[in-house]
C-alpha cells in the first residue's frame, strides 16, 4: 500500500506538473510560431505590394488590372517599407524571450523539486530518509525557494512585469513623487 501511495504522490506532485508545464508551454510556443508565420506572410505581401507601387498610399487598395489584384493589403498596414521588418524582428525577439523564460521556469522547477520528489519516492519504495539530516532540510529549502524564484525570473525577463510590480506595490494613500519623497 505504501508503494502505491508513494507512486501516486510522486505522479501527482512531480510528473503531472511537469507534463502540464510541457503541454502548456508547447502549445504557447506553437501558437507564437503560428502567429509569427502569419505575420511574416502578411509583412511580405504588404512590403512587396508597397515596393511595386511606391506612389500609392500604404493603406490604399490596389488598382484594378495591375499586378496588385492577388495581394491582400488589409492584413498588416505598413507605414514605411522598413516598419514591417522591425515588427517581424520584434515578434521574433518576443517569441525567443518567451521560450527562454518558459525554459528557465521549467528547469528551475525540476532543479528545486527533483531531490524532494525522488527522495520521497525512494522512501515509499522502502528506502531510508532521515528527516533530521541536512540533506532533508536542504530539499525543503529548495522546494520553498521555487515558489520565490518565479517572480524574480519574470522580473528579470520582462520589463512590463517589472513595471506592473512597481505599479501595484505603490501605496495609494502615500503617493511618491519622482524625487522619492512622500506627498502629503
Amino acid at each position: 500500500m505504501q508503494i502505491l501511495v508513494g507512486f501516486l504522490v510522486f505522479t501527482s506532485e512531480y510528473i503531472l506538473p511537469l507534463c502540464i508545464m510541457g503541454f502548456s508551454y508547447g502549445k504557447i510556443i506553437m501558437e507564437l510560431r503560428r502567429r509569427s508565420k502569419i505575420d511574416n506572410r502578411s509583412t511580405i505581401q504588404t512590403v512587396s505590394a508597397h515596393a511595386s507601387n511606391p506612389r500609392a498610399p500604404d493603406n490604399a487598395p490596389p488598382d484594378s488590372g495591375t499586378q496588385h489584384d492577388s495581394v491582400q493589403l488589409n492584413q498588416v498596414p505598413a507605414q514605411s517599407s522598413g516598419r514591417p521588418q522591425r515588427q517581424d524582428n520584434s515578434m521574433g525577439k518576443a517569441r525567443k524571450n518567451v521560450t527562454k523564460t518558459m525554459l528557465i521556469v521549467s528547469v528551475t522547477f525540476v532543479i528545486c523539486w527533483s531531490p524532494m520528489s525522488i527522495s520521497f519516492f525512494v522512501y515509499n519504495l522502502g528506502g531510508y530518509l532521515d528527516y533530521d539530516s541536512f540533506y532533508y532540510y536542504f530539499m525543503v529549502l529548495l522546494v520553498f525557494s521555487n515558489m520565490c524564484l518565479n517572480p524574480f525570473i519574470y522580473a528579470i525577463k520582462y520589463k512590463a512585469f517589472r513595471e506592473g510590480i512597481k505599479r501595484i506595490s505603490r501605496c495609494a494613500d502615500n503617493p511618491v513623487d519622482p524625487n522619492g519623497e512622500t506627498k502629503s
Side-chain angles (χ1 to χ4, degrees):
M1 184 65 167
Q2 184 177 352
I3 293 173
L4 178 63
V5 170
F7 178 76
L8 291 175
V9 168
F10 181 73
T11 302
S12 66
E13 290 184 357
Y14 186 69
I15 301 297
L16 186 62
L18 280 177
C19 291
I20 291 171
M21 283 190 328
F23 176 78
S24 300
Y25 292 165
K27 294 293 273 185
I28 290 169
I29 291 169
M30 287 174 24
E31 180 65 19
L32 287 172
R33 284 186 181 165
R34 186 186 69 77
R35 287 186 184 193
S36 181
K37 286 179 184 178
I38 289 171
D39 288 346
N40 285 345
R41 281 188 238 131
S42 301
T43 300
I44 291 168
Q45 289 174 350
T46 303
V47 170
S48 64
H50 180 72
S52 63
N53 190 2
R55 287 187 269 162
D58 291 331
N59 58 356
D63 296 332
S64 297
T66 66
Q67 63 186 357
H68 298 287
D69 287 340
S70 64
V71 178
Q72 297 177 356
L73 292 176
N74 60 356
Q75 291 178 356
V76 176
Q79 300 300 324
S80 68
S81 61
R83 180 171 177 235
Q85 285 86 5
R86 280 185 263 130
Q87 179 181 1
D88 178 48
N89 191 24
S90 66
M91 179 66 164
K93 284 182 181 179
R95 184 176 42 127
K96 286 179 183 177
N97 193 30
V98 168
T99 304
K100 285 180 184 178
T101 303
M102 289 187 291
L103 183 65
I104 291 169
V105 168
S106 299
V107 168
T108 303
F109 175 84
V110 169
I111 290 170
C112 291
W113 277 91
S114 290
M116 181 71 84
S117 298
I118 293 169
S119 293
F120 278 148
F121 185 65
V122 169
Y123 174 76
N124 284 310
L125 292 177
Y128 177 73
L129 180 60
D130 182 7
Y131 288 98
D132 290 327
S133 70
F134 171 79
Y135 177 69
Y136 175 77
Y137 290 116
F138 180 72
M139 292 186 306
V140 171
L141 180 67
L142 279 177
V143 169
F144 287 147
S145 68
N146 181 247
M147 291 180 265
C148 301
L149 289 175
N150 286 347
F152 291 105
I153 293 169
Y154 293 127
I156 290 169
K157 297 296 285 178
Y158 296 117
K159 183 178 180 181
F161 186 86
R162 287 190 300 269
E163 291 169 357
I165 293 295
K166 287 177 187 176
R167 191 172 46 251
I168 65 171
S169 64
R170 290 185 192 138
C171 183
D173 296 333
N174 297 320
V176 177
D177 70 5
N179 296 327
E181 299 175 6
T182 304
K183 297 179 181 180
S184 299

